[in-house]
Amino acid sequence: MASRARNPSLASLILLSLLAVASAKVFFEEKFEDGWEKRWVKSDWKKDENLAGEWNYTSGKWNGNADDKGIQTSEDYRFYAISAEFPEFSNKDKTLVFQFSVKHEQKLDCGGGYIKLLSGDVDQKKFGGDTTYSIMFGPDICGYSTKKVHAILHYNEANNLIKKDVPCETDQLTHVYTFIIRPDATYSILIDNVEKQTGSLYSDWDLLPPKKIKDPEAKKPEDWDDKEFIPDPEDKKPEGYDDIPKEISDPEAKKPEDWDDEEDGEWTAPTIPNPEYKGEWSPKKIKNPNYKGKWKAPLIDNPKFTDDPDLYVFPNLKYVGIELWQVKSGTLFDNIVITDEPEHAKQLAEDTWGKHKDAEKAAFEEAEKLQQAEESKDEPADSDAEDDEDDAEEDSDAESKLEEAEEAREDAAECCYAELCLLALMS
């Protein structure tokens, strides 16, 4: 008896995927296994000011695999800068895939989780916020207003921020961020192997002037009718419509018993809105048979536009660097890859984050339960307080509110500082 053949389309897709992974060119891959310190250089940036933070080598407080470690910021109110070198390459005629995982264990409310790609020669011991980069990519969180993925491209001596909004993840679990730039100048941004944004370098960044502009000489024709609706010329005002008063005497009002006409004057009932009154009459609206739509100036070629077929190209990529300011530490980076094959990056994500995400979530939920149990133990027991103790509690409440207000002020200042740091990165 003949056996059923497998779905040829599915088999072909699997085969193509395996071939793509096998043929991928991997320019850099870091899983932070043994010997990672030899590949990375810690910068001395901010060291003289005693503001340089230290990195911990860890799998974090909760994880799905204790052996899968990365590097984590460990000190609050510190700058962090670390980089690794790889053989210089150009992505000309190649797809560029840049991917990493990041976890904010500290419940980040103000700080970044992005990574940079740098070109040319860089003094890694001096790598810092002023170092020129080619690409900056990853999540950024600051208060309620900023919770997005940054994708900044350096072009023509300027840092250009993506114009589309790409929300980032805000929980305390590991997430994978992927940036793909293709030779046709299209791009995709993925989170956890799911595409969140896609488009063109031409339209979604201000790298070049627009190809087309509105014709500045064009004028709307005088006979152009842009009124979508017009009064119905056949609609007539009903007879007696204008005789309906706006207000009428209140039929339920009664003359007060103590009303004296001689002293108080003739009594008149107060008025109320007339339920029959429908406002000033106007004819109903109908579709305008001559409506031509909203007039728009025609587009013409922009004389200032000059195409750049290498718009997507970064010719001298040579370093990957992490440079951050953190108000609260606890951000953990892992599984960084730079390749020319999206399937390779996807498979790496599945083999690391994908395998362990459920176990990590369970570990996090267990840690949350333990923390809540500890906090409930620390809560003071109820007691029969005397009146003089109530006064002391009121003083304590006032002090607590003052401390909360001070903390809120500091948090606001910290968020402002983080925003200023981002502006500096863009400059």
Side-chain angles (χ1 to χ4, degrees):
M1 183 175 177
S3 61
R4 286 186 179 179
R6 288 186 179 181
N7 185 329
S9 298
L10 179 60
S12 298
L13 287 173
I14 294 173
L15 180 59
L16 287 172
S17 178
L18 291 172
L19 288 173
V21 173
S23 62
K25 174 67 174 177
V26 179
F27 304 105
F28 179 84
E29 187 167 298
E30 181 60 82
K31 298 181 180 179
F32 291 100
E33 295 170 332
D34 291 343
W36 71 270
E37 301 99 324
K38 297 177 182 177
R39 296 185 291 274
W40 290 79
V41 177
K42 295 179 182 179
S43 175
D44 291 333
W45 182 56
K46 297 294 182 179
K47 199 171 184 180
D48 292 342
E49 302 169 49
N50 200 28
L51 288 173
E54 288 296 322
W55 296 90
N56 279 346
Y57 179 51
T58 177
S59 57
K61 296 175 184 177
W62 48 83
N63 55 76
N65 178 9
D67 294 327
D68 187 3
K69 298 181 179 181
I71 56 173
Q72 184 179 45
T73 59
S74 67
E75 299 174 88
D76 297 345
Y77 303 100
R78 290 292 184 271
F79 292 89
Y80 294 85
I82 190 169
S83 63
E85 184 178 357
F86 49 81
E88 185 175 304
F89 77 95
S90 168
N91 67 313
K92 185 173 176 61
D93 299 325
K94 303 183 187 76
T95 296
L96 176 63
V97 185
F98 178 26
Q99 176 177 287
F100 62 91
S101 68
V102 62
K103 172 171 60 167
H104 300 303
E105 287 193 337
Q106 71 275 47
K107 200 171 184 179
L108 185 67
D109 55 11
C110 195
Y114 33 77
I115 300 184
K116 298 176 177 180
L117 295 185
L118 303 93
S119 300
D121 291 321
V122 173
D123 186 343
Q124 291 178 263
K125 293 299 286 183
K126 294 181 180 179
F127 168 57
D130 295 330
T131 306
T132 300
Y133 60 86
S134 295
I135 299 173
M136 188 178 100
F137 172 66
D140 184 38
I141 298 172
C142 192
Y144 297 103
S145 60
T146 303
K147 295 179 181 179
K148 61 184 179 181
V149 178
H150 281 306
I152 303 176
L153 305 179
H154 187 82
Y155 183 80
N156 278 349
E157 306 302 320
N159 295 326
N160 301 273
L161 185 65
I162 188 172
K163 295 188 288 185
K164 286 184 176 177
D165 187 38
V166 188
C168 67
E169 298 295 330
T170 58
D171 58 29
Q172 293 168 266
L173 301 174
T174 298
H175 294 284
V176 180
Y177 290 84
T178 311
F179 191 17
I180 302 172
I181 300 176
R182 306 179 186 88
D184 63 357
T186 62
Y187 75 95
S188 293
I189 292 174
L190 291 75
I191 302 178
D192 297 340
N193 273 346
V194 176
E195 187 174 76
K196 299 295 184 178
Q197 192 58 266
T198 187
S200 169
L201 303 187
Y202 284 95
S203 58
D204 295 348
W205 283 262
D206 288 327
L207 304 177
L208 297 173
K211 291 182 180 180
K212 298 282 186 178
I213 59 170
K214 293 179 181 179
D215 185 353
E217 303 295 327
K219 305 293 182 185
K220 184 170 74 171
E222 292 184 3
D223 61 349
W224 187 278
D225 195 337
D226 57 6
K227 297 183 182 68
E228 188 173 359
F229 294 92
I230 58 172
D232 183 356
E234 298 184 2
D235 192 19
K236 305 297 181 184
K237 185 192 296 185
E239 289 187 14
Y241 188 92
D242 292 337
D243 297 333
I244 302 172
K246 189 175 183 179
E247 294 182 336
I248 59 172
S249 298
D250 185 355
E252 297 184 3
K254 304 295 182 183
K255 180 179 178 180
E257 292 182 1
D258 59 350
W259 187 275
D260 188 324
D261 288 342
E262 291 184 1
E263 291 187 7
D264 300 326
E266 184 180 355
W267 181 84
T268 56
T271 59
I272 60 172
N274 184 357
E276 300 297 324
Y277 181 73
K278 298 178 182 178
E280 292 186 16
W281 184 85
S282 60
K284 65 182 180 182
K285 299 283 188 178
I286 61 171
K287 277 277 189 179
N288 182 0
N290 299 317
Y291 177 64
K292 295 183 178 180
K294 298 297 181 184
W295 184 83
K296 295 179 181 179
L299 297 179
I300 61 172
D301 291 336
N302 184 357
K304 296 182 180 179
F305 174 79
T306 301
D307 194 13
D308 180 359
D310 290 338
L311 189 66
Y312 72 97
V313 176
F314 296 92
N316 307 110
L317 293 172
K318 193 176 179 182
Y319 303 89
V320 58
I322 307 173
E323 178 272 310
L324 305 167
W325 157 259
Q326 292 233 306
V327 174
K328 294 179 183 177
S329 62
T331 297
L332 192 154
F333 295 91
D334 198 5
N335 297 311
I336 304 169
V337 64
I338 305 167
T339 178
D340 64 356
E341 180 48 65
E343 283 297 326
H344 177 83
K346 179 180 180 180
Q347 191 61 52
L348 176 63
E350 290 300 330
D351 291 343
T352 52
W353 163 82
K355 276 186 179 179
H356 308 307
K357 61 186 176 72
D358 292 338
E360 181 191 60
K361 184 177 181 181
F364 169 70
E365 291 172 349
E366 183 62 28
E368 286 283 278
K369 289 179 183 178
L370 291 174
Q371 182 179 348
Q372 290 171 5
E374 288 297 320
E375 289 174 353
S376 64
K377 287 180 184 178
D378 295 336
E379 291 178 0
D382 293 337
S383 61
D384 297 328
E386 300 296 331
D387 290 343
D388 55 346
E389 291 178 346
D390 290 341
D391 293 337
E393 288 178 3
E394 288 177 4
D395 291 341
S396 177
D397 288 343
E399 290 178 3
S400 296
K401 290 178 179 178
L402 186 62
E403 289 175 0
E404 289 174 2
E406 181 64 21
E407 288 175 2
R409 184 191 66 78
E410 290 178 356
D411 287 343
E414 289 156 3
C415 278
C416 288
Y417 185 84
E419 291 287 358
L420 288 172
C421 288
L422 178 60
L423 290 172
L425 290 171
M426 291 289 295
S427 63

